[in-house]
Amino acid sequence: MKRLSAAASLAVLALIVAACGTSGGSDDSSDDGAAGTSGFTPPDLKKLDTLGAGEGKLSVLAWPGYAEDGSNDPKVDWVSSFEKETGCQVTVKTFGTSDEAVSLMKTGQYDVVSASGDASLRLIAGGQVEPVNTDLIPNYADVYPFLKDRPWNSVKGQMYGVPHGYGANLLMWRTDKVTPAPTSWGVVFDANSPYKGAVTAYDSPIYIADAAMYLMATKPDLGIKNPYALDEKQFTATVDLLKQQKALVSEYWSDYLKEVQAFTSGNSVVGTTWQVIANVATGEKVPVQVTVPTEGVTGWSDTWMLSATSKNKNCGYLWMNHIVSPEANAAVAEYFGESPANAKACAQTADKNHCTTFHAGDEAYSQKIWYWTTPIEQCLDGRTDVKCTDYSRWTQAWTQIKG
Amino acid sequence: MMSSLHRHPRVRLGLLLGPPILWLGVAYLGALAALFVTALWSQNSFTGVIEREWTLDSFRTLFTVEVYRTIALRTIGVALLVTLIDAVVAFPIALYMSKVARPGLRRFLLVAVLMPLWASYLVKAYAWRGMFAEGGLVSSMFEAVGLKSPGFGLTATVVTLAYLWLPYMILPIYAGLERLPDSLLEASADLGAKTPQTIRRVILPVVVPAMVAGSIFTFSLTLGDYIAVRIVGGTNQLLGNVVYDNVGAANNLPFAAAVATIPVVVMLGYLAAVRRTGAMESL
């Protein structure tokens, strides 16, 4: 971890230097230190130089809870004000996993997307999203500096979107069925878990990282340093743990409403979740609670990105500016249950403790979360003597885990 | 215009058959061919972009990795079980409808059988999810007799699919029995045959081809299903889920196409077997 963050801050430094040195061109592929962090050359796409008038419509691809227009809850609405201000009529499509987002973006039907770290680089490399001119987004100035120019939202000093917020995958349980309150992921991984048959898990290959993180704490002799950098031996141990977990699982979820329903009926009583799911369940009077277990958490750091084939780019820029405005960013952060990206958003939350609860702006805390990242062959923890398992291996293993 | 068409029978024939042949050839068989060709391509594992180089990698993975064999066999097993249950349940219903019920009741029963087809697939599947859920109708019935509810899983999947496809089995059997003249049953009785004997010697020979015809629907629909198992199947996955996950999650279109050829091949084998029974005429 230490090594990683040192490498990351070095990279950021290099990026800043590079950005200062080559303020003009975004398309130069000079071999400065930043090239090493991503290890690929993205397609040569131009960013917008000036902003024109809005095109009148915008198609948004978002995580559930990121683009609410009041249709789920009349009080939760930050899309209508955007429509009124800019005249861009918004249509929203939600997705359940990062993989779904990547394949939906390939259709070219969406103008902007809220991409997590395990989708963003794939979108950049595939040419589905284009570089973003942050000068055209006034609210970008207020975004926490430690979210800018990170390996998952920029390449060679060029931002590919606007940081939106970050948060953690939490452990949720039914307070009436699970006692005592769990403090460890052991309740969902241990073969002797008393909640056998009522455990739920996230239905995506990226969930393998959750098991790896658990092993990182419980089996230190495996030597896992980063749950997204698993060599063959570590990977096998992780997959074995998940195969063992399958006997405990009642069902896997990727549709967040399905998880709410499973917790409501009691088919699932404990498992991984997002804060927003706990909020919806609590809203329906289901007795649930969430916690950050002792082994740590995986999480997400999301970026709004602009489709390279979008015909509504002006509306896209207006949207990116709106969604990180203090008001909208605060509303999303509070509804979804994550830290806002805009430092000024903390003054706008209804719950004045929101930013304290979610450790917003606390750089040290934010680095404790293992953000979703696409595993690649080059080990992300800096090891060069072994090859790590890449995402296509993870995908195949996930099918095998489910059997 | 009309007269010129009369003078050129070939043009007339072309206009008449052109659109359906285009539909069948391009939209239908063309899509199948595209599917098969895609299975022979590879893809970039990082960006998921398809690389148009010929390779048999997808099929190699499909045949060498054991889990896909397990899933294929499970899917075929579920399809067979659903077909069997539907045949057993549909036969008495169809027999009653066609030979016992009075015309008024018969019409009512026909509507009752068709009625579920008017409701959305998802509504019906979620209704079964509610029944199999903790505290639902099925689980409370099981608990009432002191048993543990099966919960979500393969049992729930088979029951749900058998329910969903039942009309497709009842209707062909009903149609087959309609074609059986009542006089044959009377003749059988006059010649001294008891009911079981009549069923075995007179009714079944007519019904079996109709059942096989119905089984084509129940079997093929189950083979391709992936929604019901996601709703009530717990942690289980069928072939359709593997295809869906590889399109939606892994972005591995070539592999998804390779998996999708399994049901096609199984269905072709099944249809070839069905042809031998002569059931194709009952469709």
Side-chain angles (χ1 to χ4, degrees), chain A residues 212-225 233-234:
Chain A
M213 184 188 65
Y214 176 70
L215 287 179
M216 193 161 75
T218 53
K219 287 225 177 96
D221 48 315
L222 279 170
I224 300 174
K225 295 277 177 283
K233 188 173 141 245
Q234 298 163 341

Side-chain angles (χ1 to χ4, degrees), chain A residues 254-302:
Chain A
S254 60
D255 174 352
Y256 79 118
L257 291 173
K258 197 172 140 190
E259 194 190 21
V260 173
Q261 205 234 336
F263 268 85
T264 309
S265 68
N267 277 79
S268 303
V269 299
V270 63
T272 181
T273 196
W274 304 328
Q275 183 71 47
V276 64
I277 295 176
N279 293 353
V280 172
T282 309
E284 288 176 10
K285 306 270 183 303
V286 184
V288 293
Q289 248 184 344
V290 291
T291 188
V292 175
T294 50
E295 293 89 1
V297 280
T298 58
W300 65 89
S301 183
D302 291 350

Side-chain angles (χ1 to χ4, degrees), chain A residues 99 103 251 258 261 400, chain B residues 65 129 134 230 237 249 251:
Chain A
D99 308 306
S103 72
E251 63 181 354
K258 197 172 140 190
Q261 205 234 336
Q400 283 165 3
Chain B
V65 180
R129 183 177 163 88
E134 208 84 9
R230 275 175 80 96
Q237 49 185 352
N251 283 313

Side-chain angles (χ1 to χ4, degrees), chain A residues 47-363:
Chain A
K47 59 185 176 189
L48 230 55
D49 286 330
T50 49
L51 211 52
E55 291 87 352
K57 58 179 179 182
L58 182 73
S59 171
V60 174
L61 184 62
W63 285 106
Y66 267 20
E68 291 293 319
D69 57 4
S71 53
N72 285 336
D73 181 346
K75 281 175 288 187
V76 181
D77 181 1
W78 49 88
V79 169
S80 304
S81 59
F82 170 74
E83 288 177 331
K84 236 174 261 157
E85 271 168 39
T86 62
C88 304
Q89 288 303 313
V90 175
T91 48
V92 180
K93 159 97 183 152
T94 60
F95 57 86
T97 62
S98 286
D99 308 306
E100 211 181 322
V102 172
S103 72
L104 284 172
M105 275 308 279
K106 280 197 193 150
T107 65
Q109 287 176 20
Y110 306 96
D111 300 315
V112 287
V113 59
S114 63
S116 295
D118 54 336
S120 51
L121 278 191
R122 280 189 274 162
L123 291 171
I124 296 173
Q128 275 96 31
V129 294
E130 65 175 30
V132 166
N133 186 349
T134 50
D135 295 342
L136 301 178
I137 301 168
N139 286 324
Y140 183 75
D142 298 325
V143 170
Y144 290 121
F146 64 86
L147 294 174
K148 294 178 181 176
D149 293 316
R150 297 310 301 270
W152 61 81
N153 57 23
S154 66
V155 176
K156 295 176 187 166
Q158 173 57 54
M159 284 298 286
Y160 273 75
V162 180
H164 165 93
Y166 57 99
N169 297 313
L170 304 162
L171 178 64
M172 177 161 84
W173 71 92
R174 276 273 296 253
T175 50
D176 55 339
K177 305 238 166 117
V178 177
T179 45
T183 56
S184 156
W185 287 110
V187 286
V188 301
F189 286 121
D190 192 348
N192 301 319
S193 168
Y195 308 107
K196 189 173 178 188
V199 169
T200 191
Y202 187 51
D203 191 0
S204 164
I206 207 72
Y207 184 69
I208 292 174
D210 283 61
M213 184 188 65
Y214 176 70
L215 287 179
M216 193 161 75
T218 53
K219 287 225 177 96
D221 48 315
L222 279 170
I224 300 174
K225 295 277 177 283
N226 177 334
Y228 302 98
L230 304 174
D231 64 31
E232 209 53 53
K233 188 173 141 245
Q234 298 163 341
F235 188 65
T236 314
T238 311
V239 169
D240 286 346
L241 175 66
L242 285 163
K243 281 182 177 161
Q244 171 196 314
Q245 186 203 27
K246 198 207 163 207
L248 312 173
V249 173
S250 69
E251 63 181 354
Y252 296 98
W253 67 274
S254 60
D255 174 352
Y256 79 118
L257 291 173
K258 197 172 140 190
E259 194 190 21
V260 173
Q261 205 234 336
F263 268 85
T264 309
S265 68
N267 277 79
S268 303
V269 299
V270 63
T272 181
T273 196
W274 304 328
Q275 183 71 47
V276 64
I277 295 176
N279 293 353
V280 172
T282 309
E284 288 176 10
K285 306 270 183 303
V286 184
V288 293
Q289 248 184 344
V290 291
T291 188
V292 175
T294 50
E295 293 89 1
V297 280
T298 58
W300 65 89
S301 183
D302 291 350
T303 310
W304 281 98
M305 299 182 138
L306 182 65
S307 165
T309 54
S310 164
K311 291 190 179 63
N312 307 310
K313 286 184 183 163
N314 292 321
C315 274
Y317 269 89
L318 291 170
W319 171 262
M320 287 192 279
N321 188 46
H322 171 77
I323 202 72
V324 292
S325 67
E327 299 78 24
N329 203 217
V332 182
E334 227 173 347
Y335 182 66
F336 193 84
E338 62 179 8
S339 298
N342 188 326
K344 288 185 183 159
C346 287
Q348 303 282 339
T349 51
D351 172 8
K352 290 300 160 205
N353 289 324
H354 179 83
C355 281
T356 326
T357 318
F358 287 90
H359 305 266
D362 181 347
E363 191 172 348

